[in-house]
Amino acid sequence: MSLQAERGYTFWKVGSLLALGIIVSALVGLPSLSSGQQNANTASGATLRITGEVGHPLVLHATDLLSLRRQTVGVSDEKGVRARYEGVPIADLLRRADVPLGKQLRGSRLTLYVVVAASDGYHAVFALPEFDPDFTDRVILLADRRDGHALSASEGPFRIVVPGEKRHARWVREVVDLDIQQAR
C-alpha cells in the first residue's frame, strides 16, 4: 500500500471512530455542555409550586424568579464555609400566592404553616410568621445562586436558606413545593 493510501485509510478510520463516538453520545444522552451550562439549563426549566391554603395557587418557573426582587445573604453553610446565597424572599412568593401576611396574619391564621418539599421526598415545616417581615427581621430565601453561580445539581435548582439557624436541617435542597396548611 502506498504512503498516500495508508494516510487516507488512517484518516477514514479516525473520522469513522469520531462519527461513531458522536452518534453513541447522542443515543446515550451524554451531555455536551459544561457542568456550568448544565446547571443553568436545569435551573431554567425548574418549577416551584405554591399550593394549599392560598388565594391563588402558583407554579413559578426559574425565569419568573429572575424578575422578582432579589436579595443576597452571607451565611456559613453546613460545613462552616462562608457563602453568599442569592434568591427571592419567601415572603414575596407567598404574597404572590395571596397568602395572608402582615395585618392579615392574626387570629386563626396564626396557625398556618408551610411544608417545604424537596424532589427527593425530604420535608421541613415553618410557621407562617417566620417568613413575615411584620414578625421578624430575618429574611428566609428561596435561593437559586451561590457565590454568583447557579446552584449545583446536588443543592438546587432551588434551596431554602435560613440565616441565623445553627442547624441547617430546614435548609431544604431541591425545593419543588411550598404547601400552606392550617394546624387543627
Side-chain angles (χ1 to χ4, degrees), residues 87-143:
V88 177
I90 299 283
D92 291 358
L93 299 174
L94 296 174
R95 277 190 201 93
R96 289 178 62 94
D98 198 22
V99 174
L101 295 172
K103 295 192 185 305
Q104 296 176 338
L105 189 52
R106 61 189 173 146
S108 65
R109 291 180 173 168
L110 285 171
T111 62
L112 289 170
Y113 61 93
V114 179
V115 179
V116 179
S119 63
D120 65 358
Y122 189 83
H123 292 84
V125 175
F126 292 85
L128 187 58
E130 291 183 83
F131 299 109
D132 192 333
D134 282 3
F135 282 83
T136 181
D137 291 329
R138 176 171 63 181
V139 176
I140 301 174
L141 287 184
L142 180 73

Side-chain angles (χ1 to χ4, degrees), residues 1 42 64 116 140 143 157:
M1 178 182 299
T42 302
D64 298 329
V116 179
I140 301 174

